């Protein structure tokens, strides 16, 4: 039986953070180890260029950092094809064809892109590549005929747009070679982890993240800066749990739910200081992050081996993509020279 393909990825715009970990990486490792899937994980450097075109060094440096994060959390190149987007030439070709099957008006309606344009303060200078990145993302998913796409909540509109493009393509070229993918979203509340500043989304580009590679002192310092309840000044003041990032993280990371409930009750009543609460969160985070950090340091000893892994993964991914592209070219009718030498 052929296994179902899943595809997902991350932009090499920095190191991966604990939002990626609970929102996406953890799930990928579980799916990988279930043996039910043929997993493809892509480092989306081409997409990273859409808003970092003038900073190729950042993208290049982040490539190995993201690969190290993958290995540290348990992605295994023997089970998962880990590859680099820009090395898959068919993706550029397929993106070009898709570009004609989507309207500018439709692209303007994508709520995630809309929010990101605001956030990144592009003003009138939105790079065309950024504006159209959901189209290239549709190519990423469909060239591998992925049925499942495990991602965070911000990616839902991209999956919807991909499904539409698949229908448009199959319709335009009277074929059924492309499959409509489905998003696999994290459990409620884990699809969009807030930043340490209380911003709605922890993000590499917003400077509000705790990274999987942060050392213990850095994690502690970041927790100490964390947004709590600005009105909770004296220890005995009653505090608010809602919107308090420390509690959001405890809900996510502390397996001892009874303990968290007790702390919430005490905080709401008054008598639990922010510092004491934060020290507790530091311990909880450390127990999850320490083994990841140690594995990451071990893998980082051999960077050439990391690059070799990415090359091997990209070679394999290219073979799969090229097989799909042959069918795509035939379906569109641009296989003019088929059979000629
Ligand atoms: P950038 O700011 O460069 O866009 P990012 O932090 O948003 O970086 P991406 O590489 O765009 O990270 O996203 C990779 C994956 O991680 C996606 O599936 C996305 O939904 C998920 N993800 C990103 N941020 C979070 C978060 N704060 N909580 C949960 N999942 C997240
Ligand atoms: Mg993003």
């Amino acid at each position: 039986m052929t296994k179902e393909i899943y595809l997902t990825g991350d932009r090499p715009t920095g190191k991966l953070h604990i939002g990626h970990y609970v929102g996406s990486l953890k799930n990928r490792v579980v799916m990988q180890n279930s043996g039910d899937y043929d997993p493809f994980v892509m480092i989306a450097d081409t997409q990273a260029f859409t808003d970092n075109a003038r900073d190729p060094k950042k993208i290049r440096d982040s490539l190995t950092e993201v690969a190290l994060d993958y290995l540290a959390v348990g992605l295994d190149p023997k089970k998962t094809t880990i590859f680099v987007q820009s090395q898959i030439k068919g993706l550029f070709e397929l993106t070009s064809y898709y570009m004609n099957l989507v309207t500018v008006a439709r692209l303007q309606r994508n709520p995630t892109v809309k929010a990101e344009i605001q956030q990144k303060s592009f003003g009138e200078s939105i790079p065309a590549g950024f504006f159209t990145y959901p189209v290239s993302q549709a190519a990423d998913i469909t060239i591998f005929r992925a049925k499942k796409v495990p991602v965070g909540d911000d990616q839902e509109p991209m999956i919807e747009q991909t499904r539409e493009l698949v229908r448009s393509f199959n319709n335009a070229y009277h074929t059924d070679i492309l499959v409509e993918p489905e998003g696999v979203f994290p459990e409620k509340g884990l699809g969009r982890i807030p930043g340490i500043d209380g911003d709605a989304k922890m993000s590499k580009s917003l400077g509000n993240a705790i990274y999987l590679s942060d050392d213990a002192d850095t994690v502690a310092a970041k927790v100490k800066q964390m947004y709590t309840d600005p009105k909770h000044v004296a220890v005995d003041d009653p505090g608010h749990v809602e919107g308090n990032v420390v509690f959001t993280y405890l809900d996510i990371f502390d397996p001892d739910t009874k303990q968290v409930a007790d702390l919430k009750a005490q905080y709401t009543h008054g008598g639990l200081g922010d510092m004491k609460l934060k020290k507790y969160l530091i311990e909880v985070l450390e127990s999850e992050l320490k083994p990841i950090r140690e594995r990451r340091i071990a893998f980082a000893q051999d960077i050439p081996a990391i690059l070799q892994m990415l090359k091997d993964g990209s070679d394999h991914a290219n073979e799969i993509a090229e097989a799909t592209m042959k069918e795509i070219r035939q379906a569109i009718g641009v296989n003019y020279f088929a059979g000629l030498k």
Side-chain angles (χ1 to χ4, degrees):
M1 200 192 76
T2 50
K3 292 180 179 178
E4 208 166 71
I5 292 176
Y6 85 65
L7 177 121
T8 185
D10 307 274
R11 297 157 27 104
T13 49
K15 299 170 175 184
L16 298 185
H17 52 64
I18 59 174
H20 296 119
Y21 180 59
V22 286
S24 170
L25 297 171
K26 243 177 155 171
N27 199 10
R28 290 182 207 174
V29 175
V30 172
M31 286 171 85
Q32 165 194 274
N33 292 339
S34 74
D36 296 338
Y37 298 92
D38 183 3
F40 282 73
V41 173
M42 177 179 84
I43 306 187
D45 60 335
T46 311
Q47 195 185 113
F49 271 95
T50 65
D51 56 335
N52 294 276
R54 287 172 182 80
D55 199 357
K57 185 175 184 303
K58 172 161 109 183
I59 296 173
R60 206 188 162 107
D61 292 346
S62 302
L63 196 77
T64 36
E65 298 291 354
V66 170
L68 287 172
D69 289 324
Y70 286 168
L71 297 173
V73 299
L75 284 179
D76 175 356
K78 289 198 194 77
K79 300 177 185 161
T80 292
T81 302
I82 303 175
F83 70 100
V84 183
Q85 186 182 23
S86 61
Q87 305 306 301
I88 313 301
K89 302 304 174 213
L91 287 176
F92 295 94
E93 193 180 347
L94 187 55
T95 302
S96 267
Y97 290 124
Y98 281 173
M99 214 67 99
N100 308 314
L101 298 173
V102 66
T103 64
V104 171
R106 175 65 184 91
L107 285 165
Q108 272 165 338
R109 280 202 304 274
N110 185 309
T112 298
V113 177
K114 246 192 208 168
E116 287 175 342
I117 285 171
Q118 285 283 327
Q119 215 173 46
K120 292 176 197 284
S121 317
F122 285 135
E124 293 297 303
S125 314
I126 306 163
F130 187 84
F131 180 62
T132 54
Y133 88 75
V135 180
S136 98
Q137 216 166 308
D140 304 333
I141 297 168
T142 51
I143 209 166
F144 296 104
R145 301 178 211 246
K147 288 216 176 102
K148 295 273 159 49
V149 188
V151 281
D153 291 351
D154 60 328
Q155 296 300 306
E156 196 175 357
M158 314 307 177
I159 312 286
E160 196 43 49
Q161 235 173 333
T162 303
R163 294 165 63 88
E164 283 174 32
L165 267 165
V166 166
R167 292 197 289 269
S168 299
F169 183 95
N170 286 347
N171 198 12
Y173 302 113
H174 311 292
T175 177
D176 57 3
I177 53 177
L178 295 182
V179 274
E180 281 188 46
E182 266 171 54
V184 180
F185 299 99
E187 285 166 49
K188 216 177 163 316
L190 298 184
R192 197 171 300 215
I193 307 301
I196 55 170
D197 54 356
D199 187 281
K201 184 176 176 289
M202 179 176 285
S203 164
K204 299 186 216 93
S205 310
L206 297 177
N208 62 3
I210 295 178
Y211 295 97
L212 294 172
S213 46
D214 280 344
D215 61 31
D217 289 345
T218 307
V219 173
K222 286 183 177 173
V223 172
K224 284 178 190 160
Q225 284 169 32
M226 226 172 238
Y227 182 84
T228 56
D229 172 3
K231 295 206 181 91
H232 185 242
V233 185
V235 173
D236 290 331
D237 290 344
H240 281 95
V241 166
E242 234 160 83
N244 186 320
V245 184
V246 181
F247 280 111
T248 310
Y249 287 17
L250 281 176
D251 280 333
I252 295 167
F253 288 98
D254 192 354
D256 190 347
T257 47
K258 181 170 178 314
Q259 167 80 324
V260 177
D262 288 349
L263 289 170
K264 281 183 183 170
Q266 209 186 337
Y267 194 82
T268 312
H269 177 265
L272 174 59
D274 275 4
M275 237 349 139
K276 192 164 168 209
L277 182 66
K278 286 178 168 177
K279 285 213 169 107
Y280 177 68
L281 175 62
I282 292 168
E283 275 171 38
V284 169
L285 287 177
E286 265 309 289
S287 63
E288 186 102 28
L289 296 180
K290 192 166 182 261
I292 296 176
R293 186 186 300 133
E294 284 172 357
R295 276 199 300 273
R296 200 181 187 284
I297 290 170
F299 281 116
Q301 303 307 308
D302 191 357
I303 297 297
I306 303 291
L307 291 170
Q308 186 66 50
M309 169 198 82
L310 293 176
K311 179 180 184 298
D312 294 346
S314 301
D315 288 346
H316 175 63
N318 244 322
E319 277 172 34
I320 310 284
E322 200 37 44
T324 308
M325 283 315 294
K326 272 211 175 100
E327 288 185 42
I328 299 259
R329 289 178 202 123
Q330 195 178 359
I332 303 179
V334 292
N335 57 335
Y336 312 119
F337 307 130
L340 296 184
K341 283 218 172 139

